[in-house]
Amino acid sequence: MTKLVTQRLTRRTLLKSAAATGLVAGGLPMPAIAQNKAVKLGYVSPQTGPLAAFAEADAFVLDGLKSVTQSLGLDVQVIVKDSQSNPNRAAEVAKQLIVDDEINIMLVASTPETTNPVATTCEAEGMPCISTKAPWQPWFIGQQGNPGDPSTWKPFNYAYHFFWGLEDVIAVFTNMWAQVETNKKVGGLFPNDGDGNAWGDKTVGFPPVLAEKGFTLNDPGRYQNLTDDFSAQINAFKSGGVEIVTGVMIPPDFTTFWNQAKQQGFTPKVASIGKAILFPQAVEALGNQGNNLSSEVWWSPNHPFKSSLTGASAKELADGFTQFTKRPWTQPIGFIHALFEVAIDVVKRTDDPTDADAVTAAIAATKLDTIVGHIEWNGANVPPFAAKNICKTPLVGGQWRLKDGGGYDLVITDNKTAPEIPTGGKMEPIV
């Protein structure tokens, strides 16, 4: 557990520290807000285990946040808990934060295996909760008493979520596939978890949309996470003439699948994989075999958005991360930063942070331009049954390109769903 407690430091020192971590753009003035609002923020993320790559930006963002809240005169404490990439653990630490640590607002990020149990716990305990980094369908539908019966679905009272949806990633993937000549035969890799069951769902997932768009889906069925043998899936794809592979895999599973596919002589023309290859280190682990793999792009240094806390651009934030970690930028930077942007904005607008209903009302009233785009829970582009608690953010698609000197660049290759985000190239087939 990590606690970030405010300390008395000079304004010059605070701004220097924040700038070094990318949270403050050089020379930008800090906004003046009300002083002495004591508040405890609980934060749950998968810092260890197979989903740990989703939390790579946590230390960077939290280090900068400490400096920013101090410079703003806010009395904010962040209490961090590790879900260990385990849903049961996520629920357990959420309960600890609520009961033992007596937090005022819960923040949670990174895949339904983390967001869902935490949001469910918050609903049961009447705790305001803001979550991100999980498609809205597995987040919302997966927590309903009867996910198979839409007539029973209802919004939540305390949990609010911002991210994109399956409709967005399907559009992005199929737009990218249209740039490469294929036979439109698609192999699906959907695990038996919250994401996999939603992505492979015959009603709300990939199957009906792919069929409408003229693609043939070869779905060998659900597999368990951390599987060490994908021979059955590879054989099904080879015998079915699959030229496109898609799915939503945890990073170690895609590494296993891709290495075995290469060993068994299966190389599709396109491989667009959610979750697993969002991160530079996941692609780097494949050596030269990661070239032209593609994925959804939630956030990048080229996104035309700025931090509501500091005015820092997406590029400045990404550069700050690299300076702080000596690592390439990674997509979670933007959304973890935005999660705390929203939280601080809510704190600023809440007179009594101990009043859960007042905090929840402030969350619901959010209208904020963040480093990942506009956050407002107004139901825009979301089906009515979920509108109250879900805000969608823009999504584009990209492809990993091997650099001459080693390592990879993520090039945005499709922006039809968000034309304000510039592209850097076109899709190329895997060879």
Side-chain angles (χ1 to χ4, degrees):
M1 179 178 73
T2 301
K3 292 188 176 182
L4 300 177
V5 185
T6 56
Q7 301 173 0
R8 294 186 62 82
L9 296 172
T10 66
R11 177 178 175 82
R12 181 178 179 182
T13 301
L14 293 170
L15 291 176
K16 182 178 179 182
S17 173
T21 57
L23 271 164
V24 176
L28 289 174
M30 302 301 297
I33 63 170
Q35 306 293 304
N36 301 320
K37 290 186 175 182
V39 63
K40 285 184 178 182
L41 305 178
Y43 175 53
V44 181
S45 71
Q47 294 153 47
T48 58
L51 300 174
F54 281 87
E56 185 182 4
D58 285 4
F60 163 70
V61 172
L62 290 169
D63 183 82
L65 179 75
K66 177 171 59 175
S67 300
V68 168
T69 54
Q70 289 171 343
S71 66
L72 293 176
L74 286 175
D75 184 3
V76 173
Q77 182 183 28
V78 182
I79 305 173
V80 182
K81 296 282 189 177
D82 179 10
S83 73
Q84 301 174 1
S85 301
N86 184 302
N88 293 330
R89 172 69 178 173
E92 178 185 339
V93 297
K95 190 70 175 285
Q96 290 174 5
L97 286 167
I98 295 168
V99 176
D100 299 336
D101 296 297
E102 298 181 337
I103 63 168
N104 305 117
I105 306 174
M106 181 75 76
L107 307 178
V108 57
S110 303
T111 81
E113 282 63 54
T114 310
T115 60
N116 288 18
V118 173
T120 298
T121 301
C122 288
E123 279 293 303
E125 298 290 335
M127 171 57 59
C129 178
I130 308 169
S131 60
T132 190
K133 290 203 301 183
W136 74 258
Q137 284 93 340
W139 177 84
F140 179 81
I141 299 171
Q143 297 180 81
Q144 299 298 327
N146 183 1
D149 183 1
S151 68
T152 67
W153 297 351
K154 59 183 180 180
F156 306 122
N157 294 315
Y158 294 95
Y160 286 77
H161 187 73
F162 66 96
F163 208 53
W164 41 266
L166 296 186
E167 68 278 18
D168 305 305
V169 73
I170 294 171
V172 164
F173 279 11
T174 54
N175 287 341
M176 289 195 295
W177 302 345
Q179 296 181 34
V180 179
E181 185 176 347
T182 70
N183 60 9
K184 304 188 80 170
K185 293 184 178 181
V186 181
L189 292 165
F190 305 122
N192 185 24
D193 63 14
D195 267 333
N197 290 327
W199 285 48
D201 188 271
K202 294 182 180 180
T203 302
V204 301
F206 272 61
V209 182
L210 293 186
E212 290 173 6
K213 291 178 176 289
F215 292 92
T216 301
L217 178 63
N218 185 326
D219 181 357
R222 305 297 161 263
Y223 64 88
Q224 297 303 314
N225 283 322
L226 298 178
T227 291
D228 60 7
D229 186 0
F230 284 93
S231 296
Q233 290 84 354
I234 294 167
N235 289 333
F237 297 163
K238 289 173 68 175
S239 63
V242 163
E243 293 187 347
I244 302 169
V245 171
T246 193
V248 54
M249 309 179 78
I250 59 176
D253 281 354
F254 180 73
T255 300
T256 300
F257 166 79
W258 197 241
N259 286 334
Q260 291 178 359
K262 291 291 185 177
Q263 292 165 5
Q264 297 177 35
F266 173 62
T267 300
K269 292 183 178 180
V270 181
S272 300
I273 306 296
K275 188 185 292 187
I277 54 173
L278 296 167
F279 317 107
Q281 64 268 40
V283 183
E284 291 166 359
L286 299 170
N288 294 341
Q289 300 299 327
N291 194 45
N292 287 340
L293 293 173
S294 50
S295 74
E296 74 275 25
V297 180
W298 332 325
W299 183 85
S300 78
N302 295 318
H303 278 50
F305 307 125
K306 294 184 177 182
S307 166
S308 63
L309 282 174
T310 67
S313 68
K315 186 178 187 309
E316 287 172 320
L317 191 64
D319 288 346
F321 173 83
T322 297
Q323 181 182 350
F324 184 83
T325 64
K326 311 305 179 188
R327 291 281 302 147
W329 68 271
T330 183
Q331 296 194 46
I333 300 168
F335 276 86
I336 297 304
H337 184 98
L339 184 63
F340 284 94
E341 284 185 73
V342 175
I344 296 303
D345 179 67
V346 169
V347 170
K348 289 158 57 177
R349 292 185 287 106
T350 305
D351 291 330
D352 181 5
T354 65
D355 184 339
D357 290 334
V359 172
T360 303
I363 295 172
T366 296
K367 295 181 180 180
L368 188 66
D369 290 322
T370 75
I371 200 76
V372 300
H374 187 69
I375 306 298
E376 181 176 356
W377 282 280
N378 60 6
N381 301 319
V382 181
F385 60 80
K388 173 185 173 184
N389 303 83
I390 295 166
C391 169
K392 293 219 306 183
T393 54
L395 186 70
V396 293
Q399 194 169 39
W400 291 99
R401 299 279 166 74
L402 189 63
K403 296 187 292 186
D404 290 339
Y408 285 88
D409 282 329
L410 181 59
V411 177
I412 295 176
T413 55
D414 175 74
N415 68 347
K416 288 183 179 179
T417 53
E420 70 274 21
I421 299 168
T423 60
K426 295 291 186 181
M427 287 287 289
E428 298 175 0
I430 298 170
V431 294

